Amino acid sequence: MSEICSSFPTTGSLYFWAAHLAGPRWGPFASWSCAWLETIGVISGISAQAYSGSQTLQMIILLATGTNKGGGYFAPRSVFFCMYVGLTIVWAVLNTFALRVIAFLGIISIWWQVIGGLVVIIGLPLVAQTTQPASFVFTHFEMAPESTGISSIPYAVILSVLLSNYCLYGYDAAAHLTEETKGADKTGPVAILASIGIISVFGWAYNLALTFSIRDFGYLYDESNETGGALVPAQIIYDAFHGRYHNSAGAVVFLCIIWGSFFFCGLSVTTSAARVVYALSRDNGIPFSPVWRRLHPKRRVPVNAVWLSAAIAILLGLPILKLDVVFTAIISISTIGWVGGYAVPIFARLVMAEEDFNPGPFYLGRARRPVCLVAFLWICYTCSAFLLPISYPIKWKTFNYAPVALGGVLTIVMLWWVLDARKWFKGPVRNIDVQNQFPNL
């Protein structure tokens, strides 16, 4: 991805890459498929962050008002959904301002993630009076068939890495803004690689801090515990602080740090989603494209694209009012869409003739074919895993609706291509062409 970004630094990057790497014959179809996969993934990414932020806020309120055992307030589905909608609207409002505002908040986000992450990672094991030995953390295998209905060890291993796979994407967000930065062919690849390195180190350290600090594994999923069995990390953090200080104040502070991370991440994803919608509408790939590609006359921000993304994200959260596995379904849709969008340019890069590729400053050389092959196969595995049920027996409330939702949307998109879009959609439109056709942009 970094190599391709270095060669094609432009807004709407993924499907622009796909169009040029696939060549004139397959470029339009590759671009169309990639654009819609990316759009689905990035908009549902807003939903994933809004859900995570709402769940953390739900735990903050619960622990601050007395815990599940002490009469604390556990937000019901309707209130939870209001939190979800509220976060999405706040992100949309902030993204209607100039890029300078988002850039300033991005700087705050970086320091929040680094300093806050270090506080949680270092502080949690120090606070916990009882910690698990290294043998438990690195060699112990635990399953919960009584709560999930899953007794197969290989199946459980596949499901156990879903959340990590979900967290290890979105690094192309830097490429969506490269057209608005200097030296994009160098800064884009650096941003992609740096984000992967940082999240790998911090994510691994965070997981170690949590697992070392587990007091009683069986108690984490107990619906009668202090967090209602709703969020395992919150219970681990609560046990650590309550065990030492006999109150939940420290747990609330740590959860506020984590909530801030979700808030800033959701803000960034909303920015990225708006840029993707704008880029696709600029190329007439979305119904009512002239509306969504319209820029604010002063701020030069795609305001309509921002609010379209927010509105769809809110609609994706409606199942919160009825279903229990909404988060899994949302991250499944987001991951399959976003990572599936990665697969198109990567596969095109894998099969294209090397003499047709114009490398940038970041170039893999002979390593590009094995790297592309491994990346493409990993994406296929990841997307397949996210379609699996996570709870048995399968019931209405535990049904992973991601395959149905994603399959329905992709069917409509592909039918649109076969019946109509293939006749006029030729891939990304050059900026100069857009300006000539739409001088008011």
Side-chain angles (χ1 to χ4, degrees), residues 35-293:
W36 275 101
L37 282 168
E38 183 185 15
T39 302
I40 292 168
V42 73
I43 291 179
S44 53
I46 301 174
S47 302
Q49 297 305 317
Y51 190 99
S52 300
S54 300
Q55 192 174 40
T56 306
L57 183 58
Q58 182 187 48
M59 292 297 102
I60 291 171
I61 296 172
L62 176 62
L63 296 182
T65 55
T67 77
N68 187 49
K69 285 185 173 182
Y73 179 74
F74 188 88
R77 292 179 186 269
S78 57
V79 176
F80 187 100
F81 182 66
C82 288
M83 296 176 184
Y84 174 97
V85 173
L87 278 173
T88 306
I89 291 176
V90 168
W91 293 332
V93 170
L94 290 173
N95 270 281
T96 59
F97 294 102
L99 186 64
R100 292 191 302 273
V101 176
I102 300 301
F104 174 73
L105 292 174
I107 295 173
I108 297 176
S109 172
I110 292 173
W111 288 108
W112 184 283
Q113 305 278 3
V114 173
I115 297 175
L118 288 174
V119 168
V120 174
I121 291 169
I122 297 172
L124 183 58
L126 293 178
V127 170
Q129 286 186 313
T130 302
T131 57
Q132 298 294 336
S135 59
F136 173 84
V137 173
F138 295 107
T139 65
H140 184 68
F141 193 89
E142 189 77 44
M143 294 179 62
E146 63 281 352
S147 60
T148 64
I150 297 172
S151 56
S152 168
I153 292 179
Y155 195 91
V157 170
I158 292 173
L159 295 183
S160 70
V161 298
L162 290 185
L163 193 56
S164 296
N165 286 334
Y166 155 69
C167 293
L168 288 172
Y169 76 90
Y171 40 85
D172 65 299
H176 300 318
L177 299 176
T178 53
E179 199 174 64
E180 304 168 46
T181 59
K182 296 179 181 180
D185 57 347
K186 296 179 181 179
T187 58
V190 169
I192 290 174
L193 295 173
S195 64
I196 284 293
I198 292 171
I199 190 59
S200 297
V201 172
F202 272 79
W204 180 245
Y206 175 65
N207 282 334
L208 290 178
L210 287 174
T211 49
F212 270 111
S213 303
I214 292 175
R215 187 176 67 182
D216 181 356
F217 182 86
Y219 187 62
L220 297 178
Y221 296 91
D222 191 341
E223 293 184 359
S224 64
N225 66 20
E226 287 79 5
T227 59
L231 187 61
V232 168
Q235 185 64 42
I236 294 174
I237 294 171
Y238 172 84
D239 287 341
F241 278 95
H242 189 267
R244 182 174 291 275
Y245 302 110
H246 307 292
N247 63 63
S248 59
V252 170
V253 172
F254 270 33
L255 287 174
C256 285
I257 294 174
I258 295 172
W259 180 87
S261 297
F262 287 128
F263 179 86
F264 286 119
C265 187
L267 180 65
S268 175
V269 172
T270 304
T271 305
S272 185
R275 295 308 190 275
V276 170
V277 171
Y278 164 73
L280 185 55
S281 62
R282 184 180 60 184
D283 301 326
N284 300 311
I286 297 179
F288 309 106
S289 289
V291 176
W292 314 125
R293 65 169 169 253

Side-chain angles (χ1 to χ4, degrees), residues 376-390:
F376 181 75
L377 293 176
W378 177 257
I379 290 172
C380 292
Y381 158 74
T382 299
C383 292
S384 300
F386 272 97
L387 294 174
L388 299 173
I390 63 167

Side-chain angles (χ1 to χ4, degrees), residues 328-330 332-333 336 386-387 399-407:
T328 301
I330 288 175
S332 296
I333 296 171
I336 293 171
F386 272 97
L387 294 174
F399 175 63
N400 181 4
Y401 63 88
V404 176
L406 194 61

